[in-house]
Every structure is written in structure tokens, then in C-alpha cells.
Amino acid sequence: MRAPAHRLAAAGLLALASLSATPALATLKSGADAPDFTTPAAQAGNEFSFHLADALKHGPVVLYFYPAAFSSGCTTEAHEFADAAPRFAALHATLIGVSMDTIVKLKRFSTSECHSKFAVASDRDGAVSHAYDAVLVGFLGWSSRTSYVIAPNGRVIYSYNALDPEGHVANTLKALTNWTATHPAAASR
């Protein structure tokens, strides 16, 4: 009897996670221009169109990519971002997660795992993940676990890439806090 494809993929991801315990550096470095994009998104089960340039008009954006909605690591990370959502909001930041999942799946994920506290976006064709060098090598159709903090001027101010979900929330929150302390007017547009 063959194992279902999603179990094989999850097992592969787990094996990859065990091999990559140390974080790698994301390709888009501090100071790089963040590629603009528009894609379907959901928050609290409601679908809308997310446009990065529009979000940046209101302050910084914390953009995080994750492999697959409802997988164990991605669920853990979504819970952690949901718990920290008020702290990101206090820093005038828009928080959004991106995966290659369907918008139908993300509508459910946005309510159950994100606790309706932030949006998740669908990158079905992988264009956004490719633009941010956030494609999980060896896993067709999955984004890598990569987090960015983007200033209102559209420049990357922080990037972090590690398959382990631990550290993404704390690291982006720290980078955002440090940036906000030196750019108070820009942070609260």
C-alpha cells in the first residue's frame, strides 16, 4: 500500500528540516528593492486582493513565506505570528504570510491557524516566491520559510531564511522594533 502524497511530502520536509538546523541567508539582502506584487489573500476567511505597494503606504510590511498551510511547522509559525500580531500592529506594520496554497485552502487557514489576526496570500504560480528567492529547493510548489521586513520606501530592511519556524517571529519583531526606533515618522504613515 502506497502512502498518500501529502504524507510523503511532509516526511520529506521533516527530513530536510533535520538536515538544515542552521539558518541560511535569504537572497534579498538589506537595502534591496522589494519586488512589488498583487495576489489573492484572505483574512478571517474573507478573500481580497493584496497589493504590496498599497500596504507600504501605511507603514512597514512583515512578509513571510511558508511551505504549506496546515503542515505542522507552518501551523506553529502561524500561531506564533497570530500571538504577536498586536505587537506588529503597535509598530504600524502590516503582517502577511505567503504560500503556494490555493486561496480556498488559505481562507480556512486564515481563520483556524492565523486566528483571523493577519492575512495570508496565495502565490499559486510561484511568481512572488521566485521574486523573493523563497522557493523550497526540491519541493515543487512549496515556498521556503523566509521572512522579510520591508520599509515603507520599498526597501528590504531585514531577511531571514530557516526551515525551522522558531526565530522568524522574534527576529522580524526585533528588526522592526530597531528600525521603528530610528524611523518613527516613517513607521507610522
Side-chain angles (χ1 to χ4, degrees):
M1 179 185 284
R2 293 185 60 167
H6 69 281
R7 285 193 183 162
L8 290 174
L13 186 58
L14 184 58
L16 184 61
S18 68
L19 294 174
S20 58
T22 57
L25 297 176
T27 297
L28 295 183
K29 306 291 186 224
S30 293
D33 289 327
D36 191 24
F37 65 92
T38 301
T39 192
Q43 184 169 357
N46 299 309
E47 186 176 343
F48 67 98
S49 181
F50 178 85
H51 185 196
L52 178 64
D54 288 343
L56 290 170
K57 291 175 185 174
H58 304 286
V61 171
V62 174
L63 172 67
Y64 84 94
F65 294 86
Y66 58 97
F70 297 107
S71 64
S72 63
C74 298
T75 295
T76 297
E77 186 177 32
H79 290 172
E80 290 176 5
F81 270 115
D83 289 346
R87 293 173 25 214
F88 286 108
L91 295 167
H92 307 285
T94 298
L95 173 60
I96 186 157
V98 177
S99 72
M100 293 187 209
D101 291 303
T102 66
I103 193 64
V104 171
K105 187 174 186 180
L106 292 178
K107 285 169 135 181
R108 293 189 327 267
F109 192 68
S110 74
T111 57
S112 65
E113 307 310 324
C114 303
H115 305 256
S116 300
K117 294 194 177 178
F118 66 94
V120 285
S122 177
D123 179 29
R124 286 302 293 153
D125 65 2
V128 179
S129 298
H130 277 89
Y132 281 85
D133 196 31
V135 177
L136 190 57
V137 177
F139 290 87
L140 186 63
W142 284 13
S143 298
S144 68
R145 194 175 315 281
T146 306
S147 298
Y148 291 98
V149 179
I150 304 167
N153 67 1
R155 300 266 177 163
V156 173
I157 56 175
Y158 179 78
S159 60
Y160 180 72
N161 179 285
L163 197 52
D164 186 342
E166 186 175 328
H168 285 267
V169 173
N171 290 346
T172 55
L173 193 55
K174 181 178 178 182
L176 182 61
T177 300
N178 291 343
W179 181 84
T180 301
T182 59
H183 299 81
S188 60
R189 288 184 172 188

